[in-house]
């Protein structure tokens, strides 16, 4: 069903089903982008350096925003500076980033992509960022605001539920999630 043919009175459960389908397609699409040579090469080098997927967002932020001090990089990544400092240290030991003193304030260090890996990292990053940019370009300003509001709400709800589930995060008054009669343990599903 296309977005334009969506009934005005669609239920939350119908919208939830659509959202799950779209998220599945999103994750498969993003994972499928890993099949390209530059992605495989970067992932291989990251793994060979003893690093993992948690290091990639720092590289992406440097591609998107350019060289930056750890504190600025932390704000861009929505992480605390200590965590980002650790990530940057590990990336530096792996040869993916360099640190140099800030010319205006010698106490600050500027983090940038290492020249040896810059081209490969940029190809990898822009291949992943291109669909996101195209999406935002396809939306008008009001649509972008609603789209980003929806994403923020999703992330806030995920973070609020934490490891214990929605009832804990909402003080015992979590969102109503109906029991799925065909869920695990239901004999009609063959599970």
């Amino acid at each position: 069903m296309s977005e334009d043919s969506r009934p005005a009175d669609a239920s939350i459960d119908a919208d939830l089903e659509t959202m799950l389908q779209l998220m599945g397609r999103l994750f498969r699409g993003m994972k499928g982008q890993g099949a390209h040579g530059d992605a495989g090469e970067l992932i291989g080098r990251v793994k060979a350096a003893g690093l993992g997927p948690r290091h990639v967002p720092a590289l992406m932020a440097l591609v998107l925003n350019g060289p930056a001090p750890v504190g600025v990089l932390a704000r861009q990544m929505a992480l605390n500076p200590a965590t980002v400092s650790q990530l940057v240290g590990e990336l530096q030991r792996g040869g993916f980033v360099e640190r140099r003193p800030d010319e205006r304030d010698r106490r600050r260090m500027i983090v940038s992509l290492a020249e040896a890996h810059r081209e490969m990292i940029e190809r990898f990053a822009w291949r992943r960022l291109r669909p996101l940019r195209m999406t935002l370009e396809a939306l008008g300003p009001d649509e972008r605001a609603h789209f980003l509001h929806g994403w923020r709400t999703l992330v806030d709800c995920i973070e609020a539920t934490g490891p214990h589930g929605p009832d804990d995060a909402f003080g015992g008054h979590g969102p109503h999630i109906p029991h799925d009669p065909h869920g695990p343990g239901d004999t009609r599903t063959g599970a």
Side-chain angles (χ1 to χ4, degrees):
M1 173 187 309
S2 77
E3 181 180 325
D4 296 336
S5 62
R6 182 181 175 275
D9 62 343
S11 72
I12 294 290
D13 289 337
D15 287 345
L16 180 61
E17 181 179 345
T18 300
M19 191 172 176
L20 289 174
Q21 291 168 355
L22 291 170
M23 288 176 72
R25 290 173 57 196
L26 170 71
F27 295 136
R28 284 191 300 275
M30 294 298 279
K31 187 176 178 183
Q33 290 180 350
H36 298 290
D38 56 322
E41 182 182 3
L42 178 62
I43 298 301
R45 288 188 189 183
V46 166
K47 285 181 181 179
L51 306 175
R54 72 188 197 100
H55 295 87
V56 174
L59 299 174
M60 301 283 276
L62 289 169
V63 169
L64 189 60
N65 301 299
V70 168
V72 172
L73 195 55
R75 279 194 303 278
Q76 292 167 348
M77 296 174 63
L79 294 173
N80 76 44
T83 299
V84 174
S85 182
Q86 179 182 354
L87 292 172
V88 166
E90 293 165 351
L91 285 165
Q92 184 177 19
R93 284 188 289 282
F96 294 95
V97 301
E98 299 168 346
R99 291 189 216 205
R100 61 177 166 69
D102 185 339
E103 303 211 354
R104 290 172 289 184
D105 181 351
R106 305 294 283 172
R107 295 170 296 173
R108 280 192 337 172
M109 298 297 283
I110 303 295
V111 181
S112 61
L113 295 174
E115 285 303 319
H117 298 296
R118 176 183 302 282
E119 186 179 327
M120 175 185 51
I121 293 167
E122 287 177 346
R123 280 194 318 265
F124 172 88
W126 284 114
R127 185 177 303 274
R128 278 156 180 71
L129 293 171
R130 189 174 299 116
L132 301 175
R133 184 177 197 88
M134 289 170 59
T135 300
L136 295 174
E137 288 172 346
L139 301 173
D142 289 342
E143 292 171 311
R144 276 198 314 272
H146 290 295
F147 180 78
L148 293 174
H149 175 75
W151 274 98
R152 281 187 195 98
T153 302
L154 173 62
V155 170
D156 288 348
C157 286
I158 288 170
E159 290 174 349
T161 58
H164 303 293
D167 288 342
D168 291 344
F170 292 94
H173 304 292
H176 174 68
I177 301 174
H179 171 71
D180 178 4
H182 303 289
D186 188 291
T187 56
R188 293 175 288 176
T189 63

